[in-house]
Amino acid sequence: RAKSGGRGTFRFFEPEMDEQLQARRVLEVDLRKALVNGEFELFYQPQVDIRKKVITGYEALLRWRHPERGIVSPGEFIPIAEDIGLISPLGEWVIQEACQEAAKWPASMKVAVNLSPVQFRNKNLVQCVKNALTASNLCPSRLEVEITESVLLQDNDATLATLHQLRKLGVRIAMDDFGTGYSSLSYLRSFPFDKIKIDQSFVQGLSSRADCLAIVQSIAGLGANLGMSTVAEGVETEDQLIQLRAAGCTEVQGYYFGRPKPARELVHTLDMFEPTRAVG
Ligand code: C2E
Ligand code: MG
Ligand code: MG
Ligand code: MG
């Protein structure tokens, strides 16, 4: 599929299209080799209990250390991995790696792994999670999977069956980027999620837009009423933190508490007590 420029625009007769396609082909070739070459790494970003001010766990965020280009962000390579059929083996590696790592952390801390909608079309997803839990000896309740609303747009019965099977293993299920989909509220009704992650766009608008505050308050209230925890994503300032606490969010995640870091750099205490913290 040619997705020049992405975002649904397909333009003909543009001289740079050849170049873009060329660059994409090169990236595809590199990506196919990256898994066997060990070029992937997980970074971990803390999630923090807003009242107790302790780390409840970390979200695993995939990074690709490209030999020439340096670190490539998942926003760039995940869509390609999905297109070329690489996301299932890559996603399997992510689950295994995250479970192995989390097994070394204090038992109170969970690890959250992002799942692509494409992984739900693979019949082996549940078995793959089971294997990773067994191999790492991680308690299933310490593994959380994050899905976006787009997962629930496809093949609904099969997807829901998979989610229920994962839940039966004891794995927790979180709805990521909540509020950005087409019918967010109906997705909440379709499955009893453990956690709602409030999209960072609402958090970032808190200081300038009254509607964002109203939306965040409503999602936090909704979560409380449904017995789901609510995590605000993309928290960068103390001012946002104060508003999120008042709005009733149960957890926070963002640069204010720590950027995603390699596993070996985790200290399990909050960055905000380290002298190097960057505020704002
Ligand atoms: P996401 O799951 O919603 O992850 C949150 C993104 O926000 C991460 O970007 C994180 O680094 C970034 N972030 C965290 N705190 C802040 C903040 O305070 N301010 C700002 N501006 N950004 C913040 P990242 O690591 O680039 O990942 C982007 C997306 O790529 C993720 O969004 C997720 O959808 C996807 N992704 C990452 N790792 C994986 C993976 O292993 N598998 C799959 N399928 N997708 C992944
Ligand atoms: Mg996520
Ligand atoms: Mg998110
Ligand atoms: Mg996202």
Side-chain angles (χ1 to χ4, degrees):
R1 256 184 308 157
K3 273 207 251 169
S4 165
R7 314 286 158 254
T9 54
F10 191 89
R11 294 161 300 176
F12 295 96
F13 311 121
E14 285 197 18
E16 65 267 33
M17 201 172 98
D18 259 4
E19 259 172 63
Q20 283 177 10
L21 270 176
Q22 199 59 38
R24 153 99 191 201
R25 291 286 170 267
V26 171
L27 215 53
E28 282 181 17
V29 171
D30 292 349
L31 200 53
R32 286 186 207 279
K33 296 183 291 194
L35 194 55
V36 267
N37 288 353
E39 292 167 9
F40 290 109
E41 183 176 346
L42 289 179
F43 277 25
Y44 297 89
Q45 185 179 38
Q47 296 184 344
V48 176
D49 184 304
I50 206 165
R51 305 219 161 265
K52 296 186 196 139
K53 301 188 179 82
V54 295
I55 296 174
T56 56
Y58 295 88
E59 177 175 5
L61 294 158
L62 190 56
R63 298 291 180 264
W64 177 17
R65 285 190 197 275
H66 188 283
E68 285 115 42
R69 295 182 42 181
I71 289 194
V72 185
S73 76
E76 194 172 347
F77 69 81
I78 295 273
I80 303 179
E82 289 174 339
D83 277 359
I84 67 175
L86 198 77
I87 196 70
S88 281
L90 180 54
E92 188 169 349
W93 179 85
V94 167
I95 295 168
Q96 285 169 356
E97 179 76 13
C99 289
Q100 294 288 355
E101 197 51 47
K104 303 177 202 162
W105 301 342
S108 62
M109 295 184 183
K110 299 193 250 316
V111 67
V113 166
N114 292 284
L115 296 184
S116 153
V118 179
Q119 286 174 271
F120 279 81
R121 288 180 223 144
N122 186 326
K123 298 274 170 297
N124 294 325
L125 180 59
V126 175
Q127 189 59 46
C128 155
V129 169
K130 234 189 246 180
N131 293 346
L133 289 168
T134 309
S136 61
N137 208 17
L138 185 76
C139 176
S141 62
R142 292 178 62 198
L143 174 65
E144 186 165 83
V145 296
E146 297 191 0
I147 63 163
T148 54
E149 295 166 321
S150 59
V151 169
L152 293 168
L153 277 176
Q154 65 182 17
D155 217 354
N156 226 274
D157 290 345
T159 301
L160 288 174
T162 303
L163 287 176
H164 281 290
Q165 281 175 295
L166 290 173
R167 164 66 63 68
K168 243 176 117 185
L169 295 179
V171 171
R172 296 165 47 93
I173 321 277
M175 160 122 301
D176 204 355
D177 302 347
F178 184 76
T180 58
Y182 288 110
S183 70
S184 302
L185 290 180
S186 69
Y187 298 136
L188 281 189
R189 204 181 47 180
S190 66
F191 188 82
F193 292 91
D194 296 285
K195 186 185 264 188
I196 302 172
K197 300 192 75 177
I198 304 172
D199 190 69
Q200 55 187 42
S201 57
F202 301 116
V203 175
Q204 264 132 38
L206 277 179
S207 53
S208 53
R209 301 178 47 153
D211 54 353
C212 285
L213 181 59
I215 289 167
V216 169
Q217 285 170 334
S218 304
I219 300 175
L222 194 63
N225 286 328
L226 293 169
M228 302 174 185
S229 56
T230 42
V231 189
E233 295 192 86
V235 183
E236 296 183 356
T237 69
E238 182 164 21
D239 193 56
Q240 290 167 345
L241 171 63
I242 291 165
Q243 293 191 72
L244 292 165
R245 190 183 289 122
C249 293
T250 61
E251 283 175 62
V252 270
Q253 178 181 351
Y255 295 164
Y256 183 71
F257 301 96
R259 294 193 175 243
K261 280 184 191 171
R264 60 182 175 280
E265 290 177 28
L266 301 181
V267 286
H268 304 312
T269 53
L270 289 172
D271 276 13
M272 29 194 346
F273 302 124
E274 290 173 13
T276 52
R277 170 176 64 116
V279 182

